[in-house]
Amino acid sequence: MDKKTTSRDGTSLAYEVTGQGPVVILVSGAMSTGGTVRPLAQRISDRSTAVVYDRRGRGESGDTAPYAVDREVEDLAALIDAVGGEASLFGVSSGGALVLRAVASGLPVGRAAVYEVPYADFLAGGAEREAAYKEDLNRALADGRRGDAVELFLRLTGLGEEMIRGARQSPMWAGMESVAPSLAYDDAVMGDGLLPRERLAAIPVPVLSVAGGASPEWMREAARAVAETVPRGSHRVLEGQTHMVEPDVLGPVLAEFLAG
């Protein structure tokens, strides 16, 4: 990240810009930094000015207590102001939930796109699962058990126990523990984990909700529900893709939508 701006509460935000054309800010999900969405930014940079940033509490950005989701909305407002005063937004997973909340708040956003926001309405026992995760996560972080917090998140995503044990032994584990406190931020962004129908129904701009054809059915249904709830929503399924979508597949779809 080669640029910095400052959010309303004084938090330093690290970001970078590539390409030319209409501005789009890419928002990463849980356990991710701006570098995670950099390949997608590069894929759309021939038609867009693509902006990636480290969300607060991770990467090269700062953090300021106490946390509130509104602070992350203010972060996006600061970034939009820094790159010209208007932008489109794209968010992946819980980053998509942040995008939808930011757009509903009235930020100067022309269009928004999201990929597989994991609203659990269509997962059997989803509400109970989300409530249990929230309680266990907050307890682990309050106790300083960052590794356990990371395990809880990996388990939530469906990773098997053997793979979790392997992850603990990998070189990347220290980095994952370093951003573990931000898991509480993504959890707060997701709220109760269910589709915020009233908020989505108030979004005035076009929204594209995308899912992978090889993703679990409940995620595909959640993506469809987002598109059906937003007044100017549309929906796409990318055949063969999972939650770890390939930039070369998503990029052209995103670029076409953002071009209007």
Side-chain angles (χ1 to χ4, degrees):
M1 302 292 163
D2 59 353
K3 300 181 184 299
K4 291 285 184 71
T5 192
T6 304
S7 193
R8 182 177 180 179
D9 70 348
T11 301
S12 176
L13 303 173
Y15 72 100
E16 64 185 38
V17 180
T18 185
Q20 57 184 357
V23 177
V24 54
I25 299 173
L26 285 71
V27 184
S28 62
M31 299 296 295
S32 300
T33 66
T36 309
V37 289
R38 185 180 288 122
L40 179 60
Q42 293 170 343
R43 184 61 181 77
I44 65 173
S45 62
D46 58 335
R47 299 176 61 180
S48 303
T49 298
V51 180
V52 301
Y53 75 107
D54 289 336
R55 290 171 57 189
R56 62 172 55 209
R58 61 192 88 183
E60 298 175 39
S61 289
D63 201 4
T64 304
Y67 176 83
V69 178
D70 286 346
R71 302 294 83 76
E72 289 219 68
V73 174
E74 291 168 1
D75 294 349
L76 281 168
L79 284 164
I80 291 171
D81 186 60
V83 296
E86 184 175 0
S88 292
L89 301 179
F90 167 76
V92 59
S93 195
S94 54
L98 177 57
V99 161
L100 294 171
R101 183 156 181 157
V103 176
S105 76
L107 294 190
V109 174
R111 288 173 170 254
V114 297
Y115 188 83
E116 292 192 347
V117 184
Y119 295 125
D121 304 58
F122 307 97
L123 174 66
E128 293 79 7
R129 185 190 77 154
E130 294 296 319
Y133 170 74
K134 184 184 294 288
E135 180 179 352
D136 293 343
L137 176 67
N138 289 336
R139 183 182 301 114
L141 291 175
D143 293 344
R145 294 182 284 111
R146 292 189 175 194
D148 290 348
V150 174
E151 277 199 16
L152 285 166
F153 173 73
L154 295 178
R155 202 168 286 118
L156 184 74
T157 66
L159 202 66
E161 295 301 319
E162 184 175 345
M163 294 188 71
I164 291 175
R165 287 193 295 272
R168 267 196 176 270
Q169 305 303 316
S170 73
M172 68 180 181
W173 188 257
M176 297 173 74
E177 285 194 351
S178 72
V179 298
S182 69
L183 287 170
Y185 301 176
D186 285 277
D187 182 63
V189 167
M190 291 299 300
D192 62 4
L194 304 179
L195 192 77
R197 296 181 183 276
E198 185 175 345
R199 182 181 301 135
L200 298 188
I203 290 177
V205 304
V207 173
L208 173 65
S209 181
V210 187
S215 290
E217 182 178 2
W218 71 270
M219 278 194 172
R220 289 183 275 121
E221 288 299 317
R224 183 181 298 278
V226 169
E228 292 175 346
T229 306
V230 174
R232 300 172 67 185
S234 56
H235 179 237
R236 287 285 299 271
V237 175
L238 305 181
E239 294 303 327
Q241 294 300 298
T242 66
H243 198 59
M244 304 297 290
V245 62
E246 296 176 20
D248 284 347
V249 176
L250 177 58
V253 173
L254 183 60
E256 178 184 2
F257 171 74
L258 295 174

